[in-house]
Amino acid sequence: MNVLIHFKKQQLEAFIKLLILENEKFIKKDFNLDKSLMILLNDVQEYYRKIGESTEEGNVSQLKTHLDIAVSGIDPVKLERVKTRRRDIVKIACYHCLSSLNQTLENSLVQVKNIINEATENINQVLLSAYQAKLITNAIIKKVDTIDKCTSLWEKLKENEQILLLDKKLKLTILQQDISIILDQALSKLKN
């Protein structure tokens, strides 16, 4: 499924903020941590399912199973029923889930940021080249103040064969709306 890369970044950052809150509950030894952590795991799994990231969805599913096994009174490592220290087993499972989920989310966020940074660098180069070739001027830059105008400007720039080729390369990783957002950010910097 094609999803705005900026939406992915925003969603991953929101999940990381929620994960920080879960970590604070862990530190405070909150008895409801396992329930709230399971809700977060469900939300993250649903997010990965919707965007079509099956590997990450599978990783989160394994974490849910790990936590569910611990909550049901079975040691998730030894797979033996626990008669004593049940709360400790749940706490250890929560720690494992928090740690693993953090790693999964951070890795996803790094990938998304790398895509955005590469696209931003390419678009900045296009703008500088277009400015140097007098395809755009300061007057044009000042007039472009909405996403729709950014999209129109990009369409005009694509009349150049090299920019058209770069557009095709960018569309392998991001959507047209992402290009317009990055272009808008770059032009905003040039206006100042």
Side-chain angles (χ1 to χ4, degrees), residues 1-190:
M1 179 176 155
N2 290 334
V3 180
L4 277 172
I5 199 81
H6 290 86
F7 170 76
K8 287 182 181 180
K9 180 178 178 241
Q10 182 182 29
Q11 194 65 49
L12 290 167
E13 288 172 343
F15 284 138
I16 289 171
K17 285 180 184 174
L18 291 172
L19 188 63
I20 291 169
L21 295 175
E22 295 301 311
N23 275 315
E24 289 173 4
K25 288 181 184 178
F26 179 82
I27 292 168
K28 293 177 183 175
K29 299 177 182 175
D30 189 327
F31 278 101
N32 292 321
L33 173 63
D34 54 327
K35 292 176 185 71
S36 61
L37 182 55
M38 188 60 84
I39 291 169
L40 177 60
L41 289 168
N42 283 328
D43 292 344
V44 173
Q45 183 182 20
E46 180 64 18
Y47 161 75
Y48 281 129
R49 188 190 61 72
K50 281 184 179 176
I51 65 169
E53 305 257 345
S54 57
T55 304
E56 286 80 2
E57 180 187 358
N59 291 342
V60 176
S61 179
Q62 287 178 346
L63 294 177
K64 285 174 51 182
T65 303
H66 187 87
L67 182 58
D68 196 41
I69 288 171
V71 169
S72 67
I74 298 171
D75 184 333
V77 177
K78 297 177 184 175
L79 296 177
E80 297 173 352
R81 184 153 298 280
V82 179
K83 296 187 181 171
T84 59
R85 299 184 328 112
R86 258 179 104 170
R87 198 68 214 151
D88 290 340
I89 296 296
V90 171
K91 187 173 180 179
I92 291 167
C94 286
Y95 175 78
H96 170 73
C97 290
L98 289 168
S99 176
S100 297
L101 184 60
N102 180 57
Q103 191 66 42
T104 300
L105 292 173
E106 288 291 341
N107 288 343
S108 294
L109 187 59
V110 165
Q111 289 174 348
V112 165
K113 284 183 176 180
N114 286 341
I115 292 169
I116 291 173
N117 290 340
E118 184 180 330
T120 301
E121 189 176 316
N122 287 326
I123 291 171
N124 288 343
Q125 289 298 321
V126 166
L127 284 176
L128 291 174
S129 297
Y131 191 78
Q132 189 175 24
K134 306 229 185 289
L135 296 173
I136 58 174
T137 62
N138 286 334
I140 292 173
I141 291 172
K142 288 181 182 176
K143 287 180 186 175
V144 178
D145 55 0
T146 66
I147 296 293
D148 291 335
K149 289 180 181 176
C150 287
T151 305
S152 298
L153 176 62
W154 188 254
E155 290 300 318
K156 287 179 189 171
L157 291 175
K158 283 191 332 189
E159 292 171 6
N160 180 306
E161 288 294 319
Q162 292 172 333
I163 296 174
L164 181 62
L165 182 63
L166 179 71
D167 179 67
K168 302 258 186 237
K169 178 185 171 192
L170 287 171
K171 286 184 178 170
L172 291 173
T173 55
I174 62 176
L175 301 175
Q176 176 60 49
Q177 294 90 335
D178 288 309
I179 294 171
S180 298
I181 291 169
I182 294 170
L183 186 61
D184 183 50
Q185 292 168 348
L187 290 172
S188 294
K189 291 176 185 175
L190 291 176

